[in-house]
Each structure stands twice: as structure tokens, then as C-alpha cells.
Amino acid sequence: MTNTNAIEGGAELLRRHALFHKINDAALERFLNVLKVEKYQSGDAIIREGETGNRLYMISSGRVVIEKKVFNKEAITSERIAVLQKGETFGEMELVDTQPRSATVRALEDTTCLSLSSEDLHYATEDDVMTFSQVVMNLAREISLRLRNTDVWLAGSLFSIRQRD
């Protein structure tokens, strides 16, 4: 991983991201001052299941795979849960709770992410309750969307298992 400071696309890039929906220009500039640009090479683990962390990541280029450990009678394996690409976010739960990471995220190709810690979020919004509230609401929408998608996947999986039995 490599850190740099310049965010290509600046406020316009953030404006297109769901996390910053309805955020004004002044607040976007504050976020630009705290976001970190992180570059990963293909195969790099960005986050690891079971580790603690406090950053969420927004993919600005490249693709990542989300992998989850699966325990069965014979071994522990990793299963691919999803592939995310430019414009998508991962690690959202870390801004909400302090539990260990629920999955591993690995770069499928050279990938650039913008990352935001909970401290960065508070710093960028400490005097702006409206912006903080809007970002938290946007974050809740992203987590809700993931939960809905997981519910659909889980229901489909259970249905297919019952069909086989």
C-alpha cells in the first residue's frame, strides 16, 4: 500500500459518491483535507477478517474482492462474497461499531481507495451537525442496502438448499 495526498477529481469525485450525497461544497473541502489516498497492488489485502480497524474505503479505481472464512468439517476456506468496483464502498461498519472486521478485502487488480477514519469524520464535521447527520444517514443507507442484498442472497441460498433436500 502507498499513501498519497492529492485526490484526483477533488470535490467532484466526492459529490458523485453516495456517502457524500447532499453535502455542500464547504463540507466537501473539509473532507478532502482528511481523506487519505491509498494505493494497492493486485493481491494486496486491504483489510483482514478478524482484525480491528476504524476506516471505511471508497474505491476510486480498480476492483476488490470480499472474502469470508467458511468453517466446515474438513477445513477452513475462504469464499468469495462479492466483487466491488469504482464508486463502491467497504468497511462501513467500522465507523459505526468497534467489532473486528467481518471479512477480508483484497485488491483484484491495482486499486486506489480513499479512506476515512471515524476520527476524520468527526474532525471534518465537528462544527457542522447538519453535515455529520447527513453523512451518518448516507452511511446508514449504504449499510441498509448491503443488508437487503444479503437478505435476498440468503433467502435464495436457503431456498436452493431446501430444493436439494
Side-chain angles (χ1 to χ4, degrees):
M1 181 218 17
T2 306
N3 285 324
T4 63
N5 289 330
I7 296 177
E8 190 175 321
E12 191 56 40
L13 174 70
L14 298 186
R15 207 173 275 113
R16 291 189 307 259
H17 197 282
L19 188 64
F20 300 104
H21 180 67
K22 293 187 177 182
I23 303 299
N24 66 46
D25 290 344
L28 289 176
E29 288 299 324
R30 289 193 305 273
F31 279 104
L32 287 169
N33 290 326
V34 297
L35 285 166
K36 292 180 181 38
V37 179
E38 300 184 19
K39 297 185 180 218
Y40 299 90
Q41 295 181 334
S42 180
D44 286 352
I46 301 170
I47 61 176
R48 287 185 170 83
E49 185 174 352
E51 292 182 348
T52 56
N54 74 336
R55 301 192 85 74
L56 88 97
Y57 297 83
M58 298 168 279
I59 304 168
S60 58
S61 69
R63 294 182 314 137
V64 301
V65 61
I66 300 176
E67 302 169 335
K68 180 82 177 142
K69 288 181 185 171
V70 177
F71 301 89
N72 63 38
K73 294 176 185 173
E74 292 131 25
I76 300 172
T77 61
S78 274
E79 293 292 328
R80 179 180 284 201
I81 302 298
V83 173
L84 304 179
Q85 58 193 349
K86 180 179 180 176
E88 295 186 281
T89 305
F90 59 92
E92 302 93 339
M93 292 189 306
E94 288 300 317
L95 292 188
V96 178
D97 68 20
T98 57
Q99 299 299 311
R101 297 281 191 184
S102 62
T104 295
V105 178
R106 191 173 310 282
L108 278 176
E109 57 193 46
D110 291 353
T111 299
T112 302
C113 296
L114 302 178
S115 71
L116 179 74
S117 71
S118 54
E119 291 84 12
D120 297 336
L121 173 61
H122 291 290
Y123 177 79
T125 60
E126 67 184 334
D127 295 326
D128 188 350
V129 174
M130 293 302 290
T131 296
F132 179 78
S133 300
Q134 186 63 51
V135 170
V136 170
M137 185 58 118
N138 293 342
L139 186 61
R141 285 184 182 112
E142 287 290 302
I143 292 171
S144 178
L145 179 61
R146 288 268 168 84
L147 183 57
R148 286 179 189 278
N149 290 339
T150 300
D151 285 348
V152 168
W153 176 84
L154 184 59
S157 295
L158 290 174
F159 179 74
S160 68
I161 289 170
R162 287 187 181 142
Q163 292 291 8
R164 284 184 280 172
D165 291 342

